[in-house]
Amino acid sequence: MATDRGEEHGGQSQDAGAQGGVTVTGDPLGGDTPPTEAAVVSSAPDLLADSLADYTRIWFRRVRSGESGALPVVLGLVAIVVYFQISQPSFLSASNIANLMGQAGFLITLAMAQTFPLLLGEIDLSLGFNMGIGATITVWMVSIAHPFPTWVAILAGVALTGAISAVEGLVIVFLRIPSFVVTLAGLLGLNGVLLWIYEQTGSVGNGGVIQLHNNFINDIVSGNMSPVAGWIALVVVVVLAGVFMITRDQRRRAHNLASPPLSVTLLKLAVMATIGVVLLLVLNHNRAASLLVTLEGVPWVVPVILVLLAIASILLTRTKFGRYMYAVGGNAEAARRAGISLSRIRVLAFAICGVLAGVSGLLYASLLGSISNNVDGGQYVLYSVAGAVIGGVSLFGGRGRIVGAVLGGFIVAVIYNGVILIGLGAAGQYIWTAVVLLAAVTLDAIARRGSSAT
Amino acid sequence: MVMAEGSEGARPADADRAPAGTGQRAAGGLGGSAPLLALRGIGKSFGPVQALADINLDIPAGQVTALAGDNGAGKSTLIKCIAGIYQPSGGQLLWNGQPVHIHTPKDATQLGIATVYQDLALCDNLDIVQNMMLGHESVKYGILDEISMELLAKQTLRDLAVSTVRSIRQPVGSLSGGQRQAVAVAKAVMQEARLVIMDEPTAALGVSQTELVLSLITTLAERGHAVLVVSHNLTDVFRVASRIAVLYLGRLAASGPATGFDTQSVVDFMTTGTSSRLGEHRKSALSGGFTSGTEGWTDGN
């Protein structure tokens, strides 16, 4: 696949610690790319309907009865984007969209990470500083005089965050202390560890900042796929998804099992393809401010997120581990009686959460072009919870899909950027996020109440 | 032959029943094989508290045995002794005539004893197939094999004549109480249970849901499973049970074919441990090997 990674562009490399200054904006389309067939597997209308009309009818009935799925999130996202676009016409410009993708990357990954403990009814409050530690280790390893190979540095950072969360998981499981308390201690302790690392590496003298001079890591957010590579990737993804969904449906039909009507499957593929095409058309446009350079293509962070989403989706919906995650979150006692090791599932969930936090840290460092000792881990962990909950992941465990977390994380990113773009600053950003979070939870609660009343 | 159990004076009578096979023949009027599960002198004490004493009970395959008793009579303790949650302090369990020791719930499952507790232990957020296969998923190349699991679940439900669910891919949380009970039972059957113990299966159900569960219980027995139903509801007990055992204060007040009881006598046994009405049924009771174990009512009355 042709790549185009050498590019750097100024808007991306922000000074360390200056997260507040991030601008730029949102595209409703990027985030809700329906990613994998996996996310669709467990939704009932697929299997109850015989035709597209039937499907639509069942879907409306489910929405009315409170099983609205991703609908409120998508509608909310559209509403927010429309508002920002009206307030600030540059909101949906190609450069804004590209920049938003970069900023959404780490927030979406954080929301995905938080989804794993949340599905068990647990929480990881230390996620934000864990992310900071992983990013610091990786950036430090590639920035010292004799740098480690990039892949070693990345693996080390991700392994460290995974190990830290796994240890938290072990403490939760074996000392039987609520995850809230253990990870609250983690939040404080890891903040301390983060500061200590900067003292040890002598980076405090530089203002507590380690600059990132590694092209590979920088290019995750700042580099773009070449336009041609983008088109090829889109075609490959859509064809693969299509082949997979259609053969799966055919196999189900061959066994006389209910399967979604072909029209529904085709519609889903068409939506997926359309979103991809629009995104590519916009981002493949040359968006450089100067005539001297070319700046075009989809930022690498987009395929990175989609791959993470596909892996997490398959893990949660198509493997034993994923099934047990939902079982433990839904009814731990039932899972225990079915012979499932609750401890193993819990520790694994925290480990995965840590690994994703490490990836998030990598995307964060790539976005900033540096990493510092004032990573606002306390705020980011709250964004991770907000993203997951906005995306429909229940705080009480057992409910929610990873694609929801991606959408929720994307909404947080859109607000994060859009509010600043229309000139409201940090105050507006917090308030907006709060309102959307509250609205999402309220909608969900009302819908559920409605469904239990009937 | 009427035997008194549980009182000192009646002990010798136990000797008649000691070989599992003969006891079964007398009790159930069945063929010569041993009952699937036989309890012999099972007792359970928690410290100084004697929760169960000297329980002798046969649970034959292909029949529904009802275990009745007032609150605190020891019904739950007894099924927990069978399910491996408690260890009996004395006595013996015979599985197909062979003495067995059930130390853990897993031992019970491996023998083929499945217990459906009142809380059902279902995950509301998972669908019917996912619940039925929980812990026994089939996997191909690390990926769940949904098709084979769905076919298996479908077949099991069909065998049990459970047809009221619209889609077996709907979450269990959306099912009615009776349907949930059916899923819990189907889950037990799927794991090759030969003895299904059901704790108050109809306690929280409406009329039509109760019908569903009762017919399910009957189907289970017809398919050759042994079923032990713990219930307060005497109407239901008489509807499905071919054998009835009544516990009173940790002792077996009476046990025998359902035909040997009527509602009033069961109520008497449950509340006082004895029944004055027993005389009226004595003839049939005798022929069926009816036993009663109370201090006030002994052999020869």
Side-chain angles (χ1 to χ4, degrees):
Chain A
M1 201 182 291
T3 59
D4 193 5
R5 333 187 60 176
E7 293 189 288
E8 295 255 352
H9 69 106
Q12 301 285 0
S13 312
Q14 315 240 342
D15 285 340
Q19 316 114 8
V22 194
T23 45
V24 214
T25 315
D27 156 28
L29 306 171
D32 77 4
T33 310
T36 60
E37 74 312 314
V40 182
V41 166
S42 58
S43 56
D46 298 49
L47 301 179
L48 293 174
D50 302 320
S51 67
L52 188 56
D54 208 15
Y55 178 88
T56 320
R57 206 162 45 241
I58 290 170
W59 185 78
F60 271 113
R61 195 162 60 218
R62 279 167 58 89
V63 169
R64 272 205 308 275
S65 68
E67 292 291 319
S68 45
L71 181 71
V73 194
V74 174
L75 288 183
L77 184 56
V78 169
I80 292 166
V81 166
V82 166
Y83 175 80
F84 283 146
Q85 177 63 16
I86 291 171
S87 312
Q88 177 54 265
S90 68
F91 184 81
L92 285 183
S93 68
S95 59
N96 268 351
I97 291 173
N99 234 338
L100 173 78
M101 293 299 165
Q103 290 152 348
F106 86 95
L107 287 169
I108 287 174
T109 316
L110 274 186
M112 278 201 261
Q114 191 66 271
T115 301
F116 282 83
L118 287 183
L119 279 178
L120 297 180
E122 313 276 347
I123 196 165
D124 184 355
L125 293 176
S126 64
L127 205 56
F129 286 113
N130 200 5
M131 167 189 103
I133 288 176
T136 300
I137 292 299
T138 301
V139 173
W140 176 76
M141 283 175 76
V142 296
S143 305
I144 47 182
H146 300 288
F148 288 86
T150 307
W151 64 271
V152 172
I154 291 176
L155 269 186
V158 170
L160 179 65
T161 54
I164 289 173
S165 285
V167 167
E168 287 177 328
L170 286 170
V171 172
I172 290 161
V173 164
F174 288 109
L175 301 184
R176 299 180 190 211
I177 303 171
S179 58
F180 189 92
V181 179
V182 173
T183 59
L184 182 62
L187 181 144
L188 299 167
L190 293 182
N191 194 2
V193 170
L194 183 70
L195 297 175
W196 176 81
I197 290 174
Y198 281 83
E199 285 168 19
Q200 294 303 306
T201 56
S203 307
V204 179
N206 308 327
V209 177
I210 307 177
Q211 292 296 334
L212 178 60
H213 298 296
N214 180 291
N215 282 339
F216 182 84
I217 297 176
N218 267 322
D219 283 352
I220 299 173
V221 167
S222 309
N224 300 296
M225 301 169 81
S226 79
V228 176
W231 287 114
I232 293 173
L234 178 66
V235 170
V236 169
V237 166
V238 172
V239 167
L240 276 182
V243 167
F244 194 93
M245 286 164 86
I246 289 169
T247 53
R248 187 197 59 200
D249 292 352
Q250 275 171 350
R251 278 179 57 223
R252 290 185 62 86
R253 254 173 244 131
H255 286 93
N256 257 333
L257 295 174
S259 63
L262 186 63
S263 49
V264 171
T265 306
L266 290 178
L267 187 71
K268 279 177 183 156
L269 286 168
V271 170
M272 185 195 272
T274 310
I275 291 167
V277 166
V278 171
L279 192 65
L280 274 170
L281 282 178
V282 173
L283 288 174
N284 280 349
H285 226 71
N286 186 357
R287 54 180 179 272
S290 149
L291 291 172
L292 300 174
V293 291
T294 317
L295 188 55
E296 58 187 7
V298 175
W300 279 104
V301 63
V302 174
V304 168
I305 292 293
L306 291 181
V307 167
L308 286 178
L309 170 60
I311 294 173
S313 267
I314 290 170
L315 194 62
L316 282 178
T317 61
R318 315 274 293 170
T319 67
K320 267 191 178 190
F321 167 75
R323 182 66 39 87
Y324 294 170
M325 287 278 296
Y326 283 95
V328 173
N331 186 342
E333 176 60 18
R336 195 183 61 75
R337 283 196 212 153
I340 297 167
S341 160
L342 304 192
S343 312
R344 200 168 140 253
I345 299 293
R346 289 204 174 108
V347 173
L348 267 175
F350 271 91
I352 292 170
C353 168
V355 166
L356 281 170
V359 176
S360 178
L362 193 67
L363 298 180
Y364 182 67
S366 175
L367 172 71
L368 299 181
S370 63
I371 192 75
S372 78
N373 62 1
N374 72 345
V375 173
D376 198 350
Q379 186 190 326
Y380 290 140
V381 74
L382 298 184
Y383 276 152
S384 77
V385 178
V389 170
I390 287 172
V393 179
S394 166
L395 281 173
F396 304 103
R399 283 173 212 276
R401 299 192 304 167
I402 199 79
V403 66
V406 170
L407 276 176
F410 191 69
I411 290 187
V412 171
V414 167
I415 296 169
Y416 185 89
N417 297 320
V419 165
I420 292 166
L421 195 70
I422 62 175
L424 288 180
Q429 180 198 322
Y430 289 135
I431 292 168
W432 267 71
T433 311
V435 169
V436 171
L437 176 63
L438 211 55
V441 177
T442 309
L443 260 181
D444 189 52
I446 290 174
R448 277 187 206 291
R449 221 170 294 150
S451 69
S452 60
T454 48
Chain B
M1 169 190 62
V2 171
M3 291 170 292
E5 295 176 352
S7 58
E8 287 304 315
R11 271 289 153 79
D14 279 347
D16 290 351
R17 308 189 40 171
T22 52
Q24 168 58 24
R25 214 169 292 132
L30 287 177
S33 64
L36 182 64
L37 181 68
L39 281 58
R40 292 289 171 261
I42 293 293
K44 174 70 187 170
S45 43
F46 298 98
V49 181
Q50 182 88 4
L52 289 176
D54 198 24
I55 306 289
N56 291 293
L57 182 64
D58 289 345
I59 303 170
Q63 293 192 43
V64 179
T65 307
L67 185 61
D70 206 352
N71 291 339
K75 305 187 300 280
S76 300
T77 310
L78 184 59
I79 61 172
K80 282 176 180 167
C81 284
I82 300 174
I85 294 174
Y86 292 156
Q87 299 296 304
S89 338
Q92 217 177 18
L93 291 169
L94 301 175
W95 182 258
N96 280 326
Q98 301 297 315
V100 287
H101 294 281
I102 304 175
H103 297 290
T104 63
K106 211 169 188 171
D107 291 350
T109 312
Q110 273 166 1
L111 274 179
I113 300 173
T115 311
V116 179
Y117 292 98
Q118 230 173 323
D119 67 5
L120 299 183
L122 296 174
C123 296
D124 282 355
N125 56 334
L126 298 185
D127 68 30
I128 296 174
V129 181
Q130 291 169 344
N131 264 292
M132 284 174 64
M133 298 301 301
L134 191 61
H136 300 80
E137 287 83 0
S138 35
V139 169
K140 246 188 214 162
Y141 312 115
I143 296 291
L144 293 172
D145 184 358
E146 298 286 350
I147 289 180
S148 76
M149 290 195 284
E150 193 164 336
L151 288 172
L152 197 56
K154 216 172 166 181
Q155 186 60 43
T156 308
L157 287 172
R158 199 182 295 136
D159 289 348
L160 293 175
V162 177
S163 53
T164 58
V165 292
R166 198 172 41 139
S167 160
I168 57 173
R169 282 297 180 182
Q170 59 186 323
V172 162
S174 71
L175 299 180
S176 69
Q179 290 170 333
R180 291 165 58 85
Q181 190 85 42
V183 171
V185 170
K187 182 176 165 186
V189 171
M190 203 162 197
Q191 285 149 29
E192 301 193 339
R194 298 179 57 203
L195 166 60
V196 180
I197 303 172
M198 298 173 78
D199 190 6
E200 299 283 359
T202 56
L205 302 181
V207 178
S208 62
Q209 297 297 318
T210 301
E211 287 304 312
L212 175 78
V213 172
L214 293 184
S215 71
L216 179 68
I217 293 172
T218 313
T219 312
L220 271 179
E222 280 166 1
R223 286 177 27 121
H225 296 280
V227 187
L228 178 64
V229 176
V230 175
S231 185
H232 272 119
N233 188 325
L234 296 186
T235 322
D236 295 349
V237 165
F238 279 103
R239 286 274 312 279
V240 295
S242 49
R243 296 174 50 76
I244 293 177
V246 186
L247 282 175
Y248 177 69
L249 299 180
R251 289 172 182 275
L252 199 61
S255 74
T259 48
F261 294 87
D262 64 7
T263 311
Q264 189 54 50
S265 66
V266 174
V267 170
D268 288 347
F269 280 123
M270 280 168 69
T271 51
T272 64
T274 181
S275 172
S276 58
R277 289 173 62 84
L278 193 59
E280 298 167 26
H281 295 274
R282 204 168 145 198
K283 281 250 149 50
S284 59
L286 284 173
S287 60
F290 190 93
T291 64
S292 168
T294 54
E295 311 289 340
W297 190 87
T298 49
D299 222 346
N301 269 5

